Amino acid sequence: MSKRGRNGSAVAAFIGTTPNIGTTAAAFATAYRVAERCEGTVGYLCLHLKSAKLHRYLGIEEPEATLDRLQPELRSAALTPGMLTGASCALRHQPNLRILFGSLNREQAEFFTVEEIEQLLLAAEQAFSLVVLDVGAYWDNAATVCAMRSATSRILVTTPALSHFQEDGRRWIGQVSPMFHVPREQYECVVVQPHRGKNAYGMRHICQELGIAPLGRFQLTESLFASLDGGSYDRWLATDSIGKKAMLGTAGTLVERYALEQRTASVQRQPWYRGLLTHRRGMNSYEGRS
């Protein structure tokens, strides 16, 4: 897998096998984790054209700037990296995470063109050190297709439910994605773990079924659901004992993959960094015995 794409871009796109399984929550947690430890600016683009919900998860009832409100600039090919940065929202306690909320105008969903989405992605690649894209589960729109084709890291989110990783995964990632020249082998898997009950299928079985590599897990909890309903998801990620660990491993992998500049004082305190050192020591020991 290439570390960088066109113009040296670093783009991680999250797509779910199935709607409403936690893809947005996992994608945003990853962007938040990267932003809290890196010097550069992380751009989070919600490319949901009909069912954008992140603004509610963050307690913002009426976002000032959303994807659909950029349509005039996209249609006239006038969007610049500076304009995109200005149109994005910065969290007060995490200013180097910039958010472009998804479309709130469902009637306009069918009118986004490939050229418009590609222009948006190019501006984002020029504006941010890392771009995190959150798209819907269906491939019937320009946003999903362009995002997955342009991404340099393609992250598939699913659950241990057989109908999700087997049936939906086989249909969308196994059959539809290759039609747009994105074979399933180019994906990595994040499994959303239910907060109740035991899982009949583990990460290894799920990844074998999908034919892709494992990347990480995202644990659902009652406190997570409460934060989403209460519009305090960012505070949950920053203060909750479980929330502070959410998507640490996946974020650490992306930081390493793209060699993102890190905040020196905080790097060695991060659990993912200590885990990475342990992993490397284990690999070195193994190589020494070979």
Side-chain angles (χ1 to χ4, degrees):
M1 182 180 296
S2 175
K3 290 184 178 181
R4 295 278 179 172
R6 59 186 180 183
N7 302 317
S9 60
V11 183
F14 285 73
I15 185 171
T17 56
T18 313
N20 303 315
I21 59 172
T23 303
T24 292
F28 185 78
T30 303
Y32 190 95
R33 293 278 91 95
V34 174
E36 71 183 359
R37 70 193 58 168
C38 290
E39 293 288 351
T41 302
V42 177
Y44 182 96
L45 274 61
C46 175
L47 298 184
H48 287 261
L49 304 184
K50 294 183 179 180
S51 58
K53 295 184 177 68
L54 180 61
H55 62 290
R56 296 193 179 277
Y57 297 162
L58 300 179
I60 303 173
E61 291 299 321
E62 294 293 336
E64 293 184 5
T66 57
L67 178 58
D68 49 300
R69 293 181 182 176
L70 287 179
Q71 276 192 306
E73 288 79 9
L74 292 173
R75 287 173 178 167
S76 61
L79 184 70
T80 65
M83 293 169 63
L84 176 59
T85 301
S88 60
C89 171
L91 299 177
R92 180 178 301 178
H93 57 283
Q94 198 61 261
N96 65 325
L97 174 58
R98 308 288 305 197
I99 305 163
L100 177 66
F101 294 105
S103 177
L104 303 183
N105 189 345
R106 293 189 172 215
E107 290 72 22
Q108 294 297 316
E110 307 299 329
F111 296 98
F112 281 96
T113 67
V114 169
E115 291 76 16
E116 290 169 356
I117 298 298
E118 287 184 342
Q119 181 190 170
L120 173 68
L121 297 182
L122 182 58
E125 291 167 17
Q126 295 172 344
F128 306 118
S129 300
L130 172 70
V131 181
V132 176
L133 306 176
D134 171 24
V135 304
Y138 301 132
W139 289 71
D140 60 352
N141 60 87
T144 298
V145 173
C146 290
M148 302 318 296
R149 284 176 58 89
S150 299
T152 52
S153 292
R154 300 175 176 92
I155 301 169
L156 179 68
V157 180
T158 192
T159 80
L162 193 64
S163 61
H164 293 169
F165 73 82
Q166 185 184 78
E167 183 176 348
D168 292 342
R170 183 178 299 167
R171 177 185 300 117
W172 297 110
I173 304 305
Q175 298 176 0
V176 177
S177 180
M179 294 172 58
F180 294 99
H181 307 290
V182 184
R184 65 178 181 178
E185 295 81 8
Q186 293 185 5
Y187 290 86
E188 298 169 284
C189 186
V190 165
V191 175
V192 176
Q193 302 286 353
H195 68 292
R196 292 177 180 171
K198 295 183 179 180
N199 301 325
Y201 303 98
M203 173 72 81
R204 179 178 297 181
H205 183 102
I206 293 170
C207 290
Q208 286 178 344
E209 180 70 32
L210 289 167
I212 63 178
L215 181 61
R217 293 179 173 85
F218 182 68
Q219 181 66 53
L220 300 181
T221 66
E222 292 289 355
S223 62
L224 166 61
F225 291 132
S227 75
L228 297 178
D229 290 342
S232 59
Y233 185 42
D234 55 330
R235 289 193 291 277
W236 183 83
L237 290 169
T239 62
D240 184 87
S241 59
I242 298 177
K244 288 189 290 186
K245 301 175 184 177
M247 301 305 285
L248 275 173
T250 299
T253 296
L254 295 178
V255 169
E256 291 291 318
R257 177 173 297 168
Y258 296 115
L260 300 177
E261 183 179 359
Q262 301 174 56
R263 300 176 186 177
T264 306
S266 64
V267 171
Q268 295 184 356
R269 296 198 302 268
Q270 298 295 341
W272 68 265
Y273 183 80
R274 295 195 297 270
L276 180 64
L277 292 181
T278 301
H279 173 72
R280 283 179 172 173
R281 285 195 292 268
M283 290 300 293
N284 289 338
S285 297
Y286 176 80
E287 290 170 358
R289 294 193 300 269
S290 62

